[in-house]
Amino acid sequence: MTVKALFHLNGKNVQVEVYEDEPLLYVLREDFGLNGPKFGCGMHQCGSCMVLVDGEAVPSCMQPCKSFEGKKIETIEGLIKSNGLHPLQESFFEEQAAQCGYCLNGMMIAGLALLRSNPKPSENEIREALQPVICRCGTHTRFISAIKKASEKSSKF
Ligand code: FES
Ligand code: FES
């Protein structure tokens, strides 16, 4: 059975028809064409499907879309502004922070949630924030440097 779900997505109010148990990730990718969040484990264990929900980094692969009714959801696609890249995206490019790139979405979303609540984090705080995201290529040091660099460049995220 399908139901309507209403939420705020990347700056716009949206309404979509979904199956009652359809995970948010499927709706973002299939109904809205937002392919930034990736399907990895499908079990809330790898973080590749992270999105921001009311400012918090949350996996989107299991929880039904309907349960996000009324929430403010941001995906990595929402970071690009008309005046160019977000400072966090710039820092990821500058530090070449990725190998295969599969975890990149989760790393960026987890980093962004941290920087918004704590614009000048310590290295330990960055490590802790990135913990829910698995990187099989072992590129963690570059992600940490990129987040540190972004925090030095800006305090508005
Ligand atoms: S795909 Fe969602 S946590 Fe792995
Ligand atoms: S860069 Fe390949 S999984 Fe992280």
Side-chain angles (χ1 to χ4, degrees):
M1 194 174 112
T2 62
V3 289
K4 280 192 177 33
L6 262 146
F7 48 91
H8 194 79
L9 178 61
N10 291 338
K12 288 185 188 149
N13 288 322
V14 297
Q15 180 172 306
V16 64
E17 192 89 18
V18 295
Y19 291 105
E20 271 180 282
D21 57 352
E22 191 172 359
L24 175 65
L25 178 65
Y26 297 15
V27 176
L28 293 175
R29 291 179 62 89
E30 289 164 23
D31 293 74
F32 293 100
L34 297 169
N35 295 324
K38 304 274 182 286
F39 184 90
C41 63
M43 298 169 72
H44 281 196
Q45 287 183 6
C46 73
S48 62
C49 63
M50 289 278 196
V51 295
L52 288 171
V53 178
D54 291 339
E56 240 181 88
V58 169
S60 60
C61 59
M62 287 181 83
Q63 206 174 321
C65 179
K66 181 68 186 162
S67 68
F68 292 92
E69 180 94 14
K71 305 271 185 201
K72 182 180 170 197
I73 296 167
E74 291 167 84
T75 68
I76 201 169
E77 287 88 347
L79 298 189
I80 297 180
K81 304 290 175 215
S82 52
N83 57 352
L85 291 179
H86 186 279
L88 187 58
Q89 290 174 313
E90 272 175 13
S91 301
F92 271 63
F93 277 122
E94 286 164 12
E95 291 298 310
Q96 300 198 358
Q99 283 191 38
C100 78
Y102 209 83
C103 66
L104 191 54
N105 171 72
M107 292 293 182
M108 215 173 265
I109 292 289
L112 187 61
L114 171 67
L115 291 171
R116 283 191 182 165
S117 64
N118 176 6
K120 303 287 171 208
S122 67
E123 184 166 324
N124 276 346
E125 287 168 329
I126 298 173
R127 284 177 188 276
E128 207 176 301
L130 297 186
Q131 219 179 351
V133 188
I134 293 173
C135 175
R136 292 157 189 86
C137 301
T139 321
H140 298 83
T141 50
R142 294 213 179 190
F143 293 123
I144 293 166
S145 307
I147 293 170
K148 219 185 277 174
K149 190 172 215 178
S151 77
E152 286 158 5
K153 274 189 188 185
S154 177
S155 51
K156 283 201 177 146
F157 298 98

